[in-house]
Amino acid sequence: MIKNKTLATWLAFLAGPLGGHRFYLHGLRDPWAWLLPLPTLLGVVGVVRARNLGLDDRISWALIPILGMMVAACAVIALVYGLATPERWNAQHNPDLAADHAAGHTNWFTVFALVASLMVGATALLGALAYSFQRYFELQI
């Protein structure tokens, strides 16, 4: 099966925290794809706890940044996929195809995924760090 770089980039950005890009590139037997949803779901549990119990819940204080870090990490993966050269992409994910096959080419949809990943990933990372530090220093007082 031909693995398209643009589709993999969008999957890493949109469904990365749930392992979508790993399932697409490596199949259902990839253990990392099955492990990615666990920390993401822990972060979602933290958000639900904060909504239900308030921001003083210490467990949600520890779990919410995990969600932000997962989103940021998958945004970085989307950047790595999108910025890969066609030769490198096809050599790694499409070894049976020619090095300059269209599956590894960058187009405007890839660029849009890169821009969105950069914006959302940076926001998620900075938000997770700001929330962590704020809650840490508030609990110290």
Side-chain angles (χ1 to χ4, degrees), residues 80-139:
V80 169
Y81 288 168
L83 294 174
T85 63
E87 294 81 16
R88 181 172 165 251
W89 178 265
N90 287 328
Q92 188 171 6
H93 298 289
N94 299 314
D96 298 334
L97 300 178
D100 61 344
H101 191 272
H105 287 182
T106 301
N107 56 39
W108 282 107
F109 294 118
T110 313
V111 173
F112 293 143
L114 290 171
V115 170
S117 296
L118 191 58
M119 289 189 315
V120 171
T123 302
L125 178 64
L126 292 175
L129 290 174
Y131 181 80
S132 297
F133 288 130
Q134 176 186 354
R135 298 306 301 160
Y136 174 76
F137 288 118
E138 283 178 358
L139 291 172

Side-chain angles (χ1 to χ4, degrees), residues 9-122:
T9 304
W10 276 107
L11 283 173
F13 170 60
L14 296 173
L18 298 175
H21 62 291
R22 300 282 309 187
F23 286 122
Y24 173 66
L25 292 175
H26 304 288
L28 293 175
R29 294 188 179 188
D30 182 31
W32 291 108
W34 291 105
L35 290 176
L36 277 172
L38 296 176
T40 302
L41 293 176
L42 282 175
V44 170
V45 167
V47 171
V48 170
R49 285 183 63 98
R51 289 189 59 130
N52 292 337
L53 302 173
L55 292 177
D56 291 332
D57 179 41
R58 288 180 184 238
I59 295 174
S60 68
W61 168 75
L63 294 178
I64 289 174
I66 295 173
L67 179 62
M69 295 298 185
M70 289 301 296
V71 171
C74 289
V76 169
I77 292 170
L79 291 172
V80 169
Y81 288 168
L83 294 174
T85 63
E87 294 81 16
R88 181 172 165 251
W89 178 265
N90 287 328
Q92 188 171 6
H93 298 289
N94 299 314
D96 298 334
L97 300 178
D100 61 344
H101 191 272
H105 287 182
T106 301
N107 56 39
W108 282 107
F109 294 118
T110 313
V111 173
F112 293 143
L114 290 171
V115 170
S117 296
L118 191 58
M119 289 189 315
V120 171

